[in-house]
Amino acid sequence: MFVPKMLLRQLYTHGSLTKTPDGICFTLKNRLKDAVIREIQFVSLDGEIFSPDQILVQTGSESQIKASELNQRGPTPFALREEITLTLQIDAEVSPEKRNLEVCFVASPFGKLSFDVQDNVSESGSSTRHIPRDVHDDYQPEIIAERQRYFESFSQHTLDHVGRYSVDPGSLKGNIEHFIGVAQVPIGIAGPLHINGEHAQGEFVVPLATTEGTLVASYNRGMKLLNMSGGVTATVVDDAMQRAPVFVFENARGARDFVAWVNANIETIREQAESTSSVAKLTYIDNFLSNKFAFLRFNYRTGDAAGQNMVGRATFAACGWILDHYPGVQNFYLESNFATDKKASQINIMRTRGKRVTAEATIKREHLLNVMRVEPKQIDYHGRVAGVGSFLSGVNNTGLHSPNGITAMFIATGQDVANVSESSAGIMYSELTDEGDLYISLTIPSLIVATYGGGTGIGTQRECLEMLDCYGRGKVYKFAEIVGAVALAGEISLASAISSSDWVSSHEQYGRNR
């Protein structure tokens, strides 16, 4: 399997070249995919080659052994995100001068891998002010307890609540570093909500994690209203996750010609990108030219994962192949800020980031009057007035508060909460029907959700997804439809409260905790 040199160098942990009593050591971290080490062939330092008998290896919580012994005992698992430490048995001085380090080993499914890096030798040991850490097993009870004591000593406060948890710390690898405990957020339930989706069909009771009074009650009221008129129709209309590298050239003509070359070689670029994952599928590459820069926006489908890390690895591999085969690139950055990761943006509204989902319903006039004490025309008129306010303020959401419900669901179900930045975008529309009823529709153009991977498999988060029958593979569209439907329930509830002037009184009754 071809692995670009640029990607291979990411295996080395920069800053890890350290003087120890046994010699000098450094760490390798698997940033590619699950693998098995077959043989460590050699390590060279400034051209001096060290054989397997001169190299000590530590994997996991095991003691150091010679690389030659590791080679003899057979394949050694090297899982994604796992670290191994290699020690060269020489006496080297601590120095700010860069040393040339080369590593050569054989691993499945890659074959023979060889790369070189530069780093300087630093002193081992850490200051007492550094957070305690075990590079090989940072989730064992002893190191967690040591960090808790460190934090209590540093802050002069005890961890009466943070340190109590039911989750297995060992299951959190890849989710949290320097683990000491958990933050407990209250969870309420709203519903049931009837959804007429392509993937979410039937009634759902929805977990909402929040400390904001009235939020659960408001969403519950909106769900009641929507159910009375037949529920919510929800549809996922697009699916894309991006990484957007930028390539720098001598002039604009060079950037233009490069884009033409990329388009001509799209199939090979796709093969390189998709070789890093069995899930990521490169659907297309947008290109945007400005000055002497070529911005490429790689668009992927990522299955049931949110996929930012997945598409980062895939794009990195593709760009490594591009740099190895296209001359004239003067500079390159994997992320140009054009994917707008963790940021709201106009391009995400237009082109989709995550799932693009629309939730819609037609609400009977009599139900609005009975439940919300408001006329359809009041809500429709307020929406048009608020549209002017949206335009004047330059917001990315013409609705009222869809991020409220989205955030509460994200916290409850283990989503990356920072993705609310993109997921906060919303396009709200309403109209009066000929019968005097109210049609409402909310499009969330960049809803970034997952039902597998990330934080979705942790204790309470997995339980909440399972409440919705949305945990695991093949469930992400269903979950996206539920989130869209819940957001619509919150919109009609708050719109009714504002239009009928119940908003302030409701907060005074339910939302005061002081």
Side-chain angles (χ1 to χ4, degrees):
M1 179 186 297
F2 171 75
V3 183
K5 292 180 182 178
M6 184 174 61
L7 193 59
L8 269 179
R9 291 190 178 102
Q10 296 300 307
L11 294 171
Y12 178 77
T13 302
H14 282 274
S16 67
L17 191 61
T18 306
K19 180 179 175 64
T20 71
D22 296 321
I24 60 170
C25 72
F26 60 91
T27 61
L28 303 180
K29 184 173 183 178
N30 186 349
R31 296 177 172 90
L32 300 174
K33 60 192 299 185
D34 287 343
V36 173
I37 297 176
R38 300 286 180 181
E39 179 186 4
I40 295 177
Q41 295 192 335
F42 70 85
V43 174
S44 75
L45 182 68
D46 293 334
E48 181 182 356
I49 295 178
F50 294 82
S51 69
D53 282 328
Q54 299 170 291
I55 305 169
L56 298 177
V57 184
Q58 183 176 0
T59 62
S61 56
E62 294 183 354
S63 300
Q64 286 183 329
I65 62 172
K66 288 185 177 181
S68 55
E69 295 176 36
L70 182 139
N71 294 345
Q72 291 173 0
R73 76 180 186 183
T76 300
F78 189 28
L80 181 66
R81 291 186 292 271
E82 186 177 341
E83 293 182 81
I84 64 172
T85 300
L86 303 182
T87 300
L88 306 180
Q89 296 179 289
I90 61 167
D91 185 20
E93 296 299 321
V94 172
S95 170
E97 298 298 324
K98 296 291 184 182
R99 309 291 296 271
N100 296 310
L101 190 68
E102 184 181 356
V103 182
C104 182
F105 63 102
V106 179
S108 298
F110 306 107
K112 183 177 180 179
L113 301 176
S114 178
F115 64 91
D116 59 279
V117 294
Q118 287 190 327
D119 204 355
N120 66 290
V121 180
S122 58
E123 189 69 61
S124 65
S126 61
S127 163
T128 56
R129 293 181 62 83
H130 287 181
I131 296 172
R133 182 171 182 264
D134 186 326
V135 68
H136 294 291
D137 189 359
D138 208 35
Y139 300 87
Q140 58 178 301
E142 293 78 10
I143 194 66
I144 295 171
E146 187 178 346
R147 273 196 296 270
Q148 290 172 339
R149 291 190 295 270
Y150 165 84
F151 187 54
E152 289 179 331
S153 174
F154 192 91
S155 65
Q156 298 298 304
H157 289 280
T158 59
L159 299 176
D160 293 326
H161 300 284
V162 170
R164 300 179 185 179
Y165 49 85
S166 58
V167 66
D168 174 16
S171 68
L172 300 177
K173 294 178 181 178
N175 292 116
I176 186 73
E177 299 78 40
H178 302 163
F179 174 79
I180 62 166
V182 300
Q184 301 177 68
V185 182
I187 296 178
I189 55 173
L193 173 61
H194 188 83
I195 302 175
N196 307 306
E198 292 178 302
H199 306 271
Q201 299 175 352
E203 294 190 331
F204 298 87
V205 175
V206 180
L208 300 168
T210 183
T211 56
E212 180 183 349
T214 76
L215 187 143
V216 176
S218 175
Y219 276 79
N220 195 64
R221 185 173 78 148
M223 293 176 187
K224 174 183 177 181
L225 175 66
L226 292 170
N227 288 343
M228 294 172 69
S229 295
V232 181
T233 298
T235 309
V236 176
V237 297
D238 197 10
D239 182 0
M241 180 51 65
Q242 296 81 22
R243 186 60 60 200
V246 59
F247 296 80
V248 182
F249 294 87
E250 183 179 357
N251 52 41
R253 193 171 300 164
R256 180 201 64 189
D257 294 345
F258 168 73
V259 166
W261 181 88
V262 167
N263 291 335
N265 289 272
I266 183 64
E267 290 305 322
T268 304
I269 293 171
R270 177 176 287 113
E271 290 175 9
Q272 296 300 321
E274 294 180 358
S275 69
T276 64
S277 170
S278 61
V279 176
K281 302 299 177 186
L282 177 61
T283 53
Y284 63 96
I285 301 176
D286 278 330
N287 62 81
F288 301 86
L289 294 170
S290 180
N291 307 96
K292 58 180 181 178
F293 310 128
F295 295 86
L296 301 183
R297 200 167 189 259
F298 285 65
N299 291 266
Y300 298 83
R301 293 188 185 277
T302 58
D304 295 284
Q308 291 99 321
N309 293 334
M310 183 192 302
V311 305
R313 287 195 303 272
T315 305
F316 196 74
C319 290
W321 182 87
I322 290 171
L323 292 172
D324 283 348
H325 290 83
Y326 190 86
V329 178
Q330 293 191 330
N331 211 336
F332 157 81
Y333 300 97
L334 179 63
E335 181 49 63
S336 63
N337 223 17
F338 201 58
T340 69
D341 196 19
K342 305 298 195 295
K343 294 174 284 294
S345 67
Q346 187 64 31
I347 193 168
N348 287 342
I349 294 175
M350 299 296 293
R351 298 290 282 161
T352 302
R353 181 169 169 84
K355 310 298 183 279
R356 192 179 196 92
V357 60
T358 295
E360 52 197 334
T362 299
I363 305 171
K364 295 291 186 181
R365 176 176 178 270
E366 58 266 30
H367 297 156
L368 271 170
L369 288 170
N370 290 336
V371 178
M372 302 295 192
R373 301 187 301 278
V374 65
E375 284 274 1
K377 62 182 180 181
Q378 290 177 265
I379 295 178
D380 181 63
Y381 181 69
H382 171 256
R384 284 184 278 127
V385 173
V388 176
S390 299
F391 173 76
L392 291 174
S393 63
V395 295
N396 70 336
N397 191 321
T398 60
L400 294 170
H401 73 144
S402 59
N404 245 340
I406 292 170
T407 304
M409 290 194 72
F410 274 21
I411 296 173
T413 60
Q415 310 300 311
D416 185 340
V417 184
N419 287 333
V420 173
S421 300
E422 296 105 307
S423 304
S424 66
I427 305 165
M428 192 72 189
Y429 173 76
S430 70
E431 64 183 37
L432 296 175
T433 69
D434 293 340
E435 294 77 22
D437 300 326
L438 180 69
Y439 168 82
I440 57 171
S441 171
L442 172 66
T443 291
I444 306 173
S446 47
L447 179 66
I448 302 176
V449 290
T451 56
Y452 187 79
T456 62
I458 300 172
T460 59
Q461 291 83 351
R462 176 169 177 168
E463 285 183 4
C464 287
L465 279 173
E466 289 175 337
M467 286 174 60
L468 299 168
D469 187 31
C470 283
Y471 175 74
R473 298 184 185 276
K475 301 293 182 70
V476 72
Y477 283 6
K478 179 179 184 179
F479 184 61
E481 289 179 348
I482 295 171
V483 174
V486 170
L488 186 69
E491 291 298 297
I492 188 60
S493 181
L494 183 54
S496 299
I498 293 174
S499 298
S500 64
S501 300
D502 281 347
W503 186 25
V504 174
S505 61
S506 295
H507 269 273
E508 286 298 306
Q509 181 178 355
Y510 298 110
R512 295 167 65 92
N513 183 15
R514 56 181 184 268

